[in-house]
Amino acid sequence: MKRGDIALFVLSKMAMIFFILALMSILIIFSSRERASTCSQQANQISAEIANKLSQGMNSPLEDERLVVSFSPSLSIGGGKSSSYNITISKRPPLTAGGGGLISISTRSISDADCTGGAKAHYPAGITFVGALKANEITLTPSAKEDFGAAGTSKRTKHLIIIKCTTKDNARKKFLGLDDCTDYNADPQTDSKCASFNSDEYNLCQVTA
């Protein structure tokens, strides 16, 4: 084989190797983006469900309403793998005096910065926030490690309880609250271990459960 043929052969092999490496890099990047997209879709769905429940509670014609959002302990990122995540709910002040404001919901993977999803819910003027929503921001931890202590509670958020109630006097004042229900064996629909109309924060509405 001539020297020129050898050089051409070596160059063609090197080009093939570089092509294969480049193709592998593209496939890895595509796979990573696909996993992040799948995870972000779930994060968006979680945020949207919370926002929809909040909007339902604030805009429903019912005077008193209790809504539940339940969470899985992880987000799927494809390939049989999962990711832990947190949910942050932020209350923003009214844009104008006497007007309504905004509640922002952000769901984020703990291990993958590209996996995130958000949603927003508007709250009307005249609503008083009680429970956890009195703070400007709360964080829910659906992936936190279980801690089955003597009190029967864990650090993991199992359910988000949303309660709207209205006083039965002439003032007709409206209250809205959130409760981070972490009790591992509570039935969120019936169990008093999660916030209910009988909880201290909502007794002021004079509502019978």
Side-chain angles (χ1 to χ4, degrees), residues 50 71 85-91 104-108 110 132-133 135-144 155-160 178-182:
I50 296 173
F71 303 108
Y85 69 104
N86 287 333
I87 303 167
T88 302
I89 302 177
S90 305
K91 181 183 65 182
S104 176
I105 303 99
S106 176
T107 302
R108 293 180 176 274
I110 295 175
L133 207 57
N136 289 329
E137 183 175 288
I138 62 172
T139 299
L140 307 178
T141 54
S143 302
K155 297 178 181 179
R156 182 167 85 81
T157 300
K158 304 297 179 63
H159 318 284
L160 174 66
L178 300 184
D179 178 61
D180 178 1
C181 184
T182 59

Side-chain angles (χ1 to χ4, degrees), residues 106-117:
S106 176
T107 302
R108 293 180 176 274
S109 165
I110 295 175
S111 59
D112 187 350
D114 293 326
C115 175
T116 180

